[in-house]
Amino acid sequence: MKFWAAVVAAILFVGCGGGDDNDGGGSKAPKPDGWELMTWDGSDALQSKVFLALNDDLSFALYQCIATPDFKKFTGTYSIDEQSGVLTGTYSDGTAFEDSYRIVEMTETALKMQSVKGGIESVYRRVVIPDYAKVPGPSVSAYDSVEEIPFL
C-alpha cells in the first residue's frame, strides 16, 4: 500500500513541463491537482463532468455534475492495494465505493482504471480542477430533491 500511496503522491506533486515556466509577468501556471474523466466505457461523449483529487494523505475529493445542474462534492479516504493495484475507498458518510478499481495505467498525464465487478474502463487526464467545480453555485430549489449519486 505504501508503494501505491507513494506513486499517487509523486504524481500529484509533478508539474507540467520543466524550467521556470515564467510567462514574463512573474506568475507561474498552477500545477495540476487532480484528474478529469475523459472517457467512460469507451465513450468520450460524456453528458457530465467528473473531477477526482487523490491526495497524498489518502483522502480524496470527488467533484461531479451528473444528475443535478451544479457540482456536488464528495470526500473520503482511499487505499490502493500494493500487490493488485486495486483502488478502494470510503466516503465520509461511511459508504464504500460502488466498486473497486484496478489501476491499469498511471502516468504524469493519464490515469486509466477498470472497475473490478463490471470491467468498465475509465480514462482520466491530469488537470487543474477548476474553481467552478470546487466552489459550486447555489442549488436550485427545483433540484433539491434530486439525489446526486457518487460516480465511484
Side-chain angles (χ1 to χ4, degrees):
M1 167 129 63
K2 289 180 184 179
F3 169 77
W4 284 104
V7 168
V8 170
I11 289 173
L12 290 174
F13 289 108
V14 172
C16 292
D20 289 339
D21 290 335
N22 194 329
D23 64 2
S27 66
K28 293 186 178 190
K31 291 184 179 180
D33 60 353
W35 304 96
E36 178 182 10
L37 181 66
M38 299 307 294
T39 65
W40 185 81
D41 199 16
S43 175
D44 62 357
L46 304 174
Q47 299 294 319
S48 55
K49 281 280 198 186
V50 176
F51 295 100
L52 174 64
L54 297 171
N55 304 312
D56 60 343
D57 65 355
L58 300 180
S59 66
F60 73 87
L62 175 66
Y63 306 92
Q64 66 180 47
C65 182
I66 297 176
T68 59
D70 57 345
F71 276 86
K72 300 295 181 193
K73 178 182 179 181
F74 299 93
T75 60
T77 58
Y78 73 94
S79 63
I80 301 174
D81 182 86
E82 185 176 332
Q83 295 196 354
S84 66
V86 172
L87 179 137
T88 57
T90 305
Y91 292 98
S92 296
D93 69 358
T95 304
F97 283 178
E98 180 70 24
D99 201 341
S100 298
Y101 302 89
R102 180 167 288 104
I103 297 174
V104 176
E105 178 183 3
M106 183 182 262
T107 68
E108 292 180 16
T109 58
L111 170 62
K112 187 184 294 185
M113 299 191 296
Q114 186 176 42
S115 63
V116 172
K117 288 185 230 172
I120 295 173
E121 186 174 272
S122 52
V123 178
Y124 296 78
R125 73 176 174 138
R126 196 82 159 107
V127 297
V128 174
I129 298 175
D131 287 340
Y132 67 81
K134 290 181 178 180
V135 185
S139 293
V140 179
S141 61
Y143 294 97
D144 286 346
S145 63
V146 175
E147 181 181 359
E148 184 83 17
I149 298 170
F151 182 73
L152 296 175

